[in-house]
Amino acid sequence: MTYTQAILDFAAARHSLPTEVQKDTKRLLADTLAVGAAGQSTAALVECCFADETRKSGCRVLFSDWQHSAMTSAFLNGIAIHCLEWDAVHEPAVVHAMSVVTASLLAMSDQHRGGDPEHFLTCLAIGVDVASGLGIASTGPMKFFRPATAGIIGSSLACARYVSIAPEHFADVMGLAYSFAGGTMQAHIKASIALPLQIGNAARCAVNAVDLVAHSISGPHDVLEGPFGYSNLFEGIDLSEYVAGLGNIWRISEVSVKPFPSGRASHGALGALSEIREQEEIALEDVEAVILAAPPLIQRLVGRPFKPDMRPAYARLCLPLLAPMMLRDGVIDPSLFTAEGMSASELAALASKVLVLVDDNPDENALAPQKLTLKLKDGRTIEREIAANLGSPEAPMTDAQSKQKYDLCRKLAGEDCDPRIFDNPLDYVSNP
């Protein structure tokens, strides 16, 4: 049996999620819906492009009372979930699997007028597992935007399961999803809004793949291991270890929640700065320099220089801005990512003295360990070893930190979003 067939069989098989896995799935679903509702301002700009199709088929978006086709709903929700860089991520895989899979499954649920909540959770856990598995299996650094290219594969299989596509046609679903896959890291380098658009497009195309197979359209097979498959075109993968754990190790329980609305690569430093600010009673004006020694991926993703005219998408991936903001406010508030807020003189003064240095870690996908050094104006030095990023299974957020995130999400979500998103998320996704 090929590794591809093992994944297809896993996606189609009967499963009963272990109690802890089900609990993790519910928790991560709630987090994903909350950040999607909070992302309303950016996603609403894109939604206006689809105003002529509203109220056609009753598929919801997280941030308003407009309704769209299933494909457009998946697209817009994917954008909303990722646009603030606040969405959960499987760190070893470097895949925002929850974002794509939740967006497409919610559209499928609405398209089919809801369904069994436990079935939704199982499909979600399976989709996240497959998308994360492709990331775990990677044998090199990202060139394509893995949350989209791996995300569409996992998402399509989750949707196929949700609508009961015959198991023998799961290969067609995967094949069409692979045929539609796209998205590169060039958008990340440029800190472009294309990043959340790539997430949204992956969710939309996953829905499209399933709908096409449901209407007897076939797709190419062997798309992970074939001569022109994922492993040969997108990035090299070794699926042996991932496949060996299928059904025994549930990857959704390895997913990290993001405490701050910024690139995950910034969270090691931001978590340490938050702790130092509280424990040492350090203020922004006390700090002379911030030095972070970290794996190469950290410097690549958030080591970009401060710019006085930066856009919010750039700011969320710019540690030289985020670090002073955390020292000043104790929180990263997306509402402050305005031209005036990002160019504040006290932030700019320290930004040039925030350095991200590459350590000797050979793993080009690693996000930890890191070492933060804070040099103070009175001559003192404060150091923190960062073994794991805040919000990961190894360093979970406290109840107070989780409440702070949810309260800010509610504030940003606006009045038009369905209150069930925050109060009863499982009912929201399964009962349109």
Side-chain angles (χ1 to χ4, degrees), residues 25-34 60 62 102 106 109 117 120-121 124 406 410 418-432:
T25 307
K26 290 179 180 178
R27 172 178 55 83
L28 290 163
L29 173 63
D31 178 82
T32 302
L33 296 180
R60 300 165 293 171
L62 290 163
T102 302
L106 176 58
S109 174
F120 187 99
L121 290 175
L124 179 59
Y406 273 79
R410 281 182 184 268
D418 190 320
R420 292 181 299 165
I421 291 173
F422 294 97
D423 301 329
N424 194 346
L426 191 54
D427 183 64
Y428 176 80
V429 297
S430 58
N431 183 20

Side-chain angles (χ1 to χ4, degrees), residues 11 70 74 100-109 111-112 119-120 122-124 126-128 151-166 170 173 202-211 214:
V100 182
V101 181
T102 302
S104 56
L105 270 180
L106 176 58
M108 277 297 183
S109 174
Q111 187 179 57
H112 291 266
H119 181 54
F120 187 99
T122 302
C123 293
L124 179 59
I126 288 170
V128 168
I152 190 174
I153 302 296
S155 189
S156 66
L157 294 179
C159 289
R161 182 186 181 93
Y162 187 81
V163 300
S164 301
I165 294 291
F170 272 43
V173 171
R204 170 171 59 185
C205 290
V207 170
N208 192 20
V210 173
D211 283 346

Side-chain angles (χ1 to χ4, degrees), residues 86-270:
W86 218 351
D87 47 331
V89 59
H90 191 292
E91 288 191 39
V94 199
V95 174
H96 297 268
M98 287 293 303
S99 310
V100 182
V101 181
T102 302
S104 56
L105 270 180
L106 176 58
M108 277 297 183
S109 174
D110 282 9
Q111 187 179 57
H112 291 266
R113 301 298 180 262
D116 176 48
E118 303 304 318
H119 181 54
F120 187 99
L121 290 175
T122 302
C123 293
L124 179 59
I126 288 170
V128 168
D129 205 284
V130 173
S132 300
L134 291 177
I136 292 168
S138 172
T139 57
M142 287 189 290
K143 296 180 180 179
F144 286 85
F145 186 52
R146 195 178 295 156
T149 56
I152 190 174
I153 302 296
S155 189
S156 66
L157 294 179
C159 289
R161 182 186 181 93
Y162 187 81
V163 300
S164 301
I165 294 291
E168 60 268 25
H169 292 302
F170 272 43
D172 294 309
V173 171
M174 181 188 281
L176 290 179
Y178 173 70
S179 299
F180 299 155
T184 79
M185 286 298 290
Q186 189 66 25
H188 203 292
I189 290 174
K190 296 299 181 180
S192 167
I193 193 176
L195 276 175
L197 292 178
Q198 289 177 168
I199 292 281
N201 189 58
R204 170 171 59 185
C205 290
V207 170
N208 192 20
V210 173
D211 283 346
L212 287 169
V213 172
H215 288 83
S216 301
I217 304 297
S218 62
H221 292 194
D222 196 25
V223 295
L224 297 183
E225 302 163 88
F228 299 99
Y230 189 103
S231 185
N232 285 314
L233 294 187
F234 282 107
E235 59 179 337
I237 52 175
D238 178 359
L239 291 165
S240 57
E241 184 177 347
Y242 168 61
V243 167
L246 282 174
N248 295 315
I249 303 172
W250 285 91
R251 302 298 175 175
I252 196 166
S253 293
E254 301 171 345
V255 170
S256 298
V257 171
K258 294 174 69 174
F260 314 115
S262 60
R264 183 56 172 169
S266 69
H267 285 199
L270 293 179

